[in-house]
Amino acid sequence: MSVEATTQKVQELVAGGPGFNYSIKFVFNEGGVIHLDRNDVSNEDKEADCTINMELSDFDAMMAGDLNPLEAFMGGKMQLDGDMNVAMQLSSLFN
């Protein structure tokens, strides 16, 4: 999936979900960014409470429920910079 298509899926998740009270930025190794700030989703490279670096395909697998965020972190598929508590809130988005 492209960054643009993935961004659209994140927007749909946020719109239908319980909300996310932090800012988080996903930086993809292939290039591209998704920035989530409360319920606002963009491709702007802005400051965030937590930055996650990972492959776009792994992020897509997380959104599909095929990759657990904790397992992705423990398996080295995602690297965190910033507030780890924010990253722990991701499960509320992907369930």
Side-chain angles (χ1 to χ4, degrees), residues 30-49:
E30 306 86 347
V33 170
I34 295 177
H35 187 271
L36 174 59
D37 189 359
R38 277 57 179 178
N39 291 331
D40 180 44
V41 180
S42 74
N43 295 113
E44 295 180 54
D45 190 2
K46 302 187 284 189
E47 290 293 316
D49 298 319

Side-chain angles (χ1 to χ4, degrees), residues 20 22-27 34-36 46-53 78-90:
F20 191 71
Y22 305 96
S23 62
I24 193 162
K25 177 171 57 172
F26 299 94
V27 179
I34 295 177
H35 187 271
L36 174 59
K46 302 187 284 189
E47 290 293 316
D49 298 319
C50 180
T51 299
I52 297 177
N53 293 287
M78 89 169 46
Q79 295 79 42
L80 304 177
D81 183 29
D83 190 343
M84 184 177 277
N85 290 323
V86 173
M88 298 296 282
Q89 302 300 315
L90 283 177

